[in-house]
Amino acid sequence: ARGIQHTAVRQAHRKYEPNFHDKYGNLVLLGGAAVFTAVWGYVVTQLGIEWGFSPVGRITPREWRE
């Protein structure tokens, strides 16, 4: 227990150094948002997906096989 207390005191008096997230966090977040937007923009505009969620008129019943 005494060792843990010494470690905690040493870390409490240490100068704060910015870590990776402090330095690059916002840049990584913006980069991810840009890639997300670009990929979904391509999917929505270029792939020719029919965006209709209602199956009415598209699905026709097949004859039963006997």
Side-chain angles (χ1 to χ4, degrees):
R2 182 69 80 179
I4 294 172
Q5 287 176 343
H6 285 292
T7 303
V9 167
R10 259 185 285 152
Q11 289 178 354
H13 291 293
R14 197 169 58 170
K15 223 178 178 184
Y16 178 75
E17 299 172 4
N19 60 15
F20 178 84
H21 298 289
D22 294 331
K23 290 181 182 179
Y24 306 109
N26 290 335
L27 188 63
V28 170
L29 181 67
L30 291 174
V35 169
F36 178 86
T37 304
V39 168
W40 278 108
Y42 175 80
V43 168
V44 168
T45 59
Q46 299 297 319
L47 287 186
I49 298 173
E50 293 184 17
W51 297 100
F53 296 110
S54 175
V56 175
R58 291 188 192 160
I59 299 175
T60 56
R62 286 189 290 179
E63 296 295 325
W64 286 97
R65 282 188 264 160
E66 291 187 31

